[in-house]
Amino acid sequence: ETGVTQTPRHLVMGMTNKKSLKCEQHLGHNAMYWYKQSAKKPLELMFVYSLEERVENNSVPSRFSPECPNSSHLFLHLHTLQPEDSALYLCASSQEGLQGLYGYTFGSGTRLTVV
Amino acid sequence: AQSVTQLDSQVPVFEEAPVELRCNYSSSVSVYLFWYVQYPNQGLQLLLKYLSGSTLVKGINGFEAEFNKSQTSFHLRKPSVHISDTAEYFCAVSDLDGGSQGNLIFGKGTKLSVKP
């Protein structure tokens, strides 16, 4: 596979559940990002990992917990979510230091519904 | 701080008509500029980018954009749209000397709706 792959594509979870979103990139990039895209809201940057270290966390609630075990994989662990957390979660990757030149490569997203 | 403004949240247009999606940015330094497209239930896909050189940039699917430094704009255009162009379009900027380490700042998006 090439590009950025996100699994699952769709996820329905209850507010007391624990689940994880997975992102995998096969581009040799070393920076990865989680974005939240809600209806009628702009893209929200949640987390940035560069060289497997978290470099940015935009005041995201602790019920979202990212993990980056290596430069190819990124996870978003979810627990005790709220209905307002329902959204499309997008993963992206880039080459650290070159994102301005080449931009990001995005996955297709995970559509999360919290019931 | 940098920001990106997409002036229109929705743009309806008839098939084969021309379209322009507007984007303005604010930055005190030189920038790189991007347009991304998002089809329904998909991620964002790079449409085109401006780095330097010619101010008219051509991208995929017949789209082009023009960089105007004096007006701090990077409007996206297509002379004749198709139904398949229905999607949301995002403008983004990356500054060359900012605290964000070159990370992209996205606009709020413009939904293009092409009608038959």
Side-chain angles (χ1 to χ4, degrees):
Chain A
E1 282 197 54
T2 58
V4 179
T5 304
Q6 288 187 244
T7 54
R9 289 297 309 273
H10 301 272
L11 177 62
V12 179
M13 60 185 288
M15 289 190 284
T16 58
N17 291 157
K18 288 185 180 182
K19 296 286 184 183
S20 296
L21 309 185
K22 180 182 176 182
C23 177
E24 186 173 359
Q25 59 94 3
H26 302 273
L27 300 167
H29 289 165
N30 53 17
M32 297 185 80
Y33 311 79
W34 279 117
Y35 280 87
K36 177 183 178 183
Q37 187 177 32
S38 306
K40 300 181 181 180
K41 279 186 161 185
L43 280 168
E44 298 174 60
L45 178 63
M46 299 176 73
F47 300 103
V48 179
Y49 275 84
S50 174
L51 302 173
E52 301 161 37
E53 289 190 18
R54 189 191 306 179
V55 297
E56 193 163 335
N57 172 359
N58 287 340
S59 304
V60 179
S62 59
R63 57 185 183 269
F64 294 92
S65 175
E67 179 189 3
C68 187
N70 55 61
S71 60
S72 298
H73 295 87
L74 184 65
F75 295 90
L76 188 62
H77 303 299
L78 317 170
H79 65 97
T80 58
L81 294 192
Q82 305 298 311
E84 60 265 28
D85 297 322
S86 298
L88 181 68
Y89 288 84
L90 291 166
C91 173
S93 70
S94 71
Q95 191 63 24
E96 176 58 35
L98 298 177
Q99 52 270 56
L101 272 176
Y102 301 113
Y104 298 168
T105 301
F106 282 85
S108 296
T110 294
R111 173 69 63 187
L112 174 66
T113 303
V114 181
V115 297
Chain B
Q2 291 179 94
S3 66
V4 177
T5 302
Q6 292 185 242
L7 297 165
D8 305 298
S9 60
Q10 297 189 50
V11 173
V13 64
F14 287 106
E15 193 174 18
E16 298 183 4
V19 70
E20 178 180 83
L21 306 183
R22 297 179 292 170
C23 173
N24 287 86
Y25 67 93
S26 65
S27 175
S28 58
V29 297
S30 298
V31 295
Y32 294 144
L33 294 157
F34 303 80
W35 275 100
Y36 283 83
V37 59
Q38 185 181 29
Y39 298 104
N41 298 313
Q42 295 291 320
L44 279 68
Q45 177 184 350
L46 183 64
L47 202 54
L48 51 78
K49 61 186 177 185
Y50 172 78
L51 304 180
S52 64
S54 173
T55 56
L56 184 63
V57 180
K58 293 189 183 297
I60 61 173
N61 301 337
F63 283 93
E64 62 182 31
E66 186 161 18
F67 170 60
N68 188 318
K69 188 174 182 179
S70 63
Q71 296 186 7
T72 60
S73 68
F74 190 54
H75 300 333
L76 181 69
R77 302 186 184 102
K78 187 169 182 178
S80 175
V81 295
H82 302 289
I83 298 287
S84 58
D85 293 322
T86 295
E88 190 160 15
Y89 293 79
F90 292 89
C91 182
V93 62
S94 171
D95 71 78
L96 299 182
D97 187 26
S100 66
Q101 302 177 322
N103 288 335
L104 300 188
I105 307 297
F106 287 89
K108 293 183 178 182
T110 297
K111 290 186 177 178
L112 175 65
S113 175
V114 181
K115 304 177 180 182

